């Protein structure tokens, strides 16, 4: 079974530029999560999708971050414009359905904002 | 604000010893508790889950839960250098949101 795929793995941009990350969850997984992990901290949930719909985006900085999950499969997370404090690893995870035990994490995208 | 607290470490133990990692949480309504292992530069990997008070054993790992004290722990027996990693405690709140602690860095000395 293929795992969660993410791209790119690394991205370096200057502040005020825009960036997009892509995630392909495990086949059949209805729930998709985007987390932000700042160095030395645990992952923090940014947004959770159940199929096409948003379940929780309470911690997403909506003035600069946006995310979509078209057709209930792939998802993209965008930052526009980026700030220095957005430097972090962006992790995508998926689970079979909402509330199920196991969230499977992708390899992450390491973003550096200069 | 729901919180999960862990000692950042590093916790240094000799090879073959028992490593004890601890975690406290603030939300009394939490029902599911998890331990993830994260190697440097890698993504978190689930190693244990526990839902009821008491101990749960899986190989060299034992998770312990005390809901009255809002306390979760992970014991690693016969620690190996390959166990050196950051261990993240995660708690699923009543809205099925996973809240992570900042992790404890474990170093196992050969």
């Amino acid at each position: 079974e293929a795992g969660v795929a993410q791209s790119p793995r690394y991205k370096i941009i200057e502040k005020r530029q825009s960036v997009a990350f892509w995630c392909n969850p495990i086949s059949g997984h209805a729930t998709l999560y985007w987390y932000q992990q700042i160095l030395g901290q645990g992952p923090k949930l940014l947004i959770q999708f159940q199929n096409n719909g948003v379940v929780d985006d309470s911690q997403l900085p909506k003035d600069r971050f946006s995310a979509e999950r078209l057709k209930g499969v792939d998802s993209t997370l965008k930052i526009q414009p980026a700030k220095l404090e957005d430097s972090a690893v962006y992790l995508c995870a998926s689970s079979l359905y909402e509330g199920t035990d196991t969230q499977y994490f992708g390899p992450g995208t390491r973003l550096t904002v200069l | 604000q729901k919180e999960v607290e862990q000692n950042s470490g590093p916790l240094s133990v000799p090879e073959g010893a028992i490593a004890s990692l601890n975690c406290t949480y603030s939300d009394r309504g939490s029902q599911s508790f998890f331990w993830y292992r994260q190697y440097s530069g890698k993504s978190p990997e689930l190693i244990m889950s526990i839902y009821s008070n008491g101990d749960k054993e899986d190989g060299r790992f034992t998770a312990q839960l005390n809901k009255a004290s809002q306390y979760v722990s992970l014991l690693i027996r016969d620690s190996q250098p390959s166990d050196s990693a950051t261990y993240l405690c995660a708690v699923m709140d009543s809205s099925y949101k996973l809240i992570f602690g900042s992790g404890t860095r474990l170093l196992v000395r050969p």
Side-chain angles (χ1 to χ4, degrees):
Chain A
E1 178 182 81
V4 177
Q6 289 188 248
S7 67
R9 293 294 312 278
Y10 306 91
K11 190 74 177 179
I12 300 174
I13 61 173
E14 295 191 349
K15 60 183 180 184
R16 291 188 290 273
Q17 286 188 322
S18 62
V19 65
F21 313 127
W22 173 81
C23 172
N24 188 18
I26 293 173
S27 177
H29 279 197
T31 311
L32 185 147
Y33 314 80
W34 283 102
Y35 289 88
Q36 179 193 57
Q37 187 174 23
I38 293 171
L39 188 65
Q41 299 181 18
K44 182 184 83 171
L45 180 69
L46 292 176
I47 188 167
Q48 176 184 340
F49 291 95
Q50 179 72 15
N51 297 311
N52 289 345
V54 175
V55 174
D56 185 341
D57 63 357
S58 58
Q59 298 192 94
L60 187 74
K62 298 180 187 64
D63 58 333
R64 298 184 300 106
F65 286 64
S66 64
E68 60 182 7
R69 189 182 185 198
L70 300 176
K71 301 179 182 177
V73 182
D74 294 12
S75 178
T76 56
L77 176 70
K78 296 179 182 177
I79 308 175
Q80 182 179 12
K83 292 185 175 182
L84 296 177
E85 59 261 36
D86 298 331
S87 294
V89 175
Y90 291 84
L91 294 161
C92 179
S94 70
S95 64
L96 198 55
Y97 49 83
E98 184 185 12
T100 192
D101 298 351
T102 304
Q103 294 185 21
Y104 297 89
F105 283 84
T109 296
R110 182 176 298 275
L111 173 67
T112 302
V113 182
L114 302 175
Chain B
Q1 175 121 1
K2 298 169 185 174
E3 293 182 340
V4 177
E5 300 285 345
Q6 295 182 256
N7 188 318
S8 62
L11 173 66
S12 182
V13 300
E15 185 173 354
I18 296 175
S20 177
L21 305 163
N22 304 313
C23 168
T24 59
Y25 60 95
S26 62
D27 182 10
R28 284 196 171 273
S30 301
Q31 296 296 322
S32 304
F33 307 86
F34 308 90
W35 284 99
Y36 283 81
R37 178 175 61 200
Q38 187 172 30
Y39 292 112
S40 181
K42 302 294 185 183
S43 58
E45 171 195 12
L46 181 67
I47 52 172
M48 288 287 288
S49 56
I50 188 167
Y51 310 101
S52 52
N53 282 330
D55 296 0
K56 179 181 177 183
E57 187 175 317
D58 184 0
R60 295 187 296 114
F61 299 97
T62 299
Q64 299 175 318
L65 174 61
N66 184 326
K67 290 184 179 179
S69 300
Q70 295 175 246
Y71 177 88
V72 194
S73 66
L74 179 70
L75 300 179
I76 306 175
R77 288 182 300 281
D78 188 24
S79 295
Q80 301 298 308
S82 58
D83 294 326
S84 297
T86 296
Y87 289 80
L88 298 165
C89 174
V91 175
M92 186 166 282
D93 70 10
S94 52
S95 59
Y96 303 118
K97 188 163 105 178
L98 205 55
I99 301 170
F100 285 85
S102 293
T104 298
R105 193 157 69 99
L106 173 66
L107 297 175
V108 181
R109 309 187 304 271

